[in-house]
Amino acid sequence: GAVVSQHPSWVICKSGTSVKIECRSLDFQATTMFWYRQFPKQSLMLMATSNEGSKATYEQGVEKDKFLINHASLTLSTLTVTSAHPEDSSFYICSAEEGQGYRNEQFFGPGTRLTVL
Amino acid sequence: AQKITQTQPGMFVQEKEAVTLDCTYDTSDPSYGLFWYKQPSSGEMIFLIYQGSYDQQNATEGRYSLNFQKARKSANLVISASQLGDSAMYFCAMKGLNTGTASKLTFGTGTRLQVTL
């Protein structure tokens, strides 16, 4: 299957700082990338959907000014957690899709574990 | 709106035995896709199997098979000959008909499977 990478795999930061997470599709062009958040022992919650060259579409309840998403190319999307606080500590996972459709598989990155002190 | 229900928060199975993980869904889309993912403790999401709503036969992938009963709106995952490495969290997910925008995955709450000796 296609490969999606995420960097960093884990990050620890101080409260008030910003953290950028990168998501790359390594061997395909991702029409769409998705960002999820997962708290311990819970399911994945979709935060936003991004298409290359356009603004991300955020899910209800997700602060777009806090979670900045940039999808500058067909292989790279970034999530920046601005002014991070301890409650932002979570596991962030991206996924990428080539083309669109209900048959299309989403390929997931390995995730980034964020800890805000 | 789409909804996925996984009623088994945890399951135990003995090594080499088969196990069924339940998944029911609700959607108004005429066409949809059903996915199963495995998430080990490392956090990565591993795609297991896919079933399209109009597929005539139940999907199979090695030791994984999907018991798809469309009238009952169920898509149970069957793992045969369980192995210790199958111990993980399992998520059922679905996406609906492509409407020209990115088709989002809706996840269930997951089932934690523990394979014992």
Side-chain angles (χ1 to χ4, degrees):
Chain A
V3 179
V4 175
S5 70
Q6 263 183 261
H7 179 80
S9 54
W10 59 271
V11 58
I12 301 173
C13 69
K14 291 183 179 180
S15 187
T17 60
S18 294
V19 174
K20 180 184 282 188
I21 303 169
E22 290 187 352
C23 176
R24 292 180 186 273
S25 57
L26 298 185
D27 50 3
F28 68 101
Q29 293 189 324
T31 312
T32 309
M33 286 185 167
F34 304 84
W35 286 96
Y36 297 86
R37 183 175 183 176
Q38 186 180 32
F39 290 108
K41 299 185 180 181
Q42 293 189 22
S43 188
L44 280 71
M45 297 298 295
L46 180 66
M47 298 175 67
T49 304
S50 74
N51 294 95
E52 184 260 341
S54 61
K55 289 184 179 180
T57 302
Y58 291 81
E59 294 299 299
Q60 195 171 10
V62 177
E63 300 175 59
K64 58 182 68 175
D65 293 331
K66 181 165 187 61
F67 299 100
L68 300 178
I69 292 172
N70 184 281
H71 193 157
S73 75
L74 283 172
T75 59
L76 173 66
S77 177
T78 60
L79 167 68
T80 301
V81 183
T82 61
S83 186
H85 290 284
E87 58 265 29
D88 299 324
S89 298
S90 188
F91 190 58
Y92 292 88
I93 311 176
C94 73
S95 69
E97 191 172 288
E98 184 179 28
Q100 294 178 356
Y102 68 91
R103 289 187 169 272
N104 277 24
E105 180 185 342
Q106 281 186 24
F107 300 99
F108 284 83
T112 297
R113 198 164 299 280
L114 170 64
T115 301
V116 184
L117 302 176
Chain B
Q2 299 168 350
K3 186 177 181 181
I4 293 281
T5 302
Q6 293 180 257
T7 58
Q8 306 155 315
M11 289 281 287
F12 286 89
V13 64
Q14 260 191 326
E15 198 181 18
K16 301 178 186 176
E17 297 293 310
V19 63
T20 298
L21 306 184
D22 294 341
C23 172
T24 58
Y25 61 91
D26 193 22
T27 181
S28 56
D29 283 323
S31 302
Y32 49 89
L34 295 154
F35 301 79
W36 275 93
Y37 289 89
K38 171 185 177 181
Q39 188 180 40
S41 57
S42 59
E44 60 186 311
M45 294 290 284
I46 301 169
F47 167 75
L48 297 178
I49 197 166
Y50 165 83
Q51 180 82 45
S53 58
Y54 288 109
D55 291 345
Q56 294 297 313
Q57 296 194 342
N58 286 350
T60 60
E61 289 285 348
R63 294 187 299 111
Y64 304 107
S65 61
L66 204 151
N67 184 0
F68 180 48
Q69 298 189 43
K70 194 171 181 178
R72 293 186 178 184
K73 293 189 175 180
S74 73
N76 298 340
L77 176 70
V78 181
I79 305 175
S80 62
S82 296
Q83 302 171 356
L84 293 177
D86 293 335
S87 295
M89 195 75 168
Y90 288 80
F91 291 100
C92 180
M94 76 177 298
K95 57 161 61 176
L97 179 68
N98 175 33
T99 58
T101 58
S103 45
K104 298 182 284 190
L105 270 175
T106 301
F107 284 90
T109 50
T111 296
R112 182 165 297 281
L113 177 67
Q114 187 70 44
V115 181
T116 61
L117 290 171

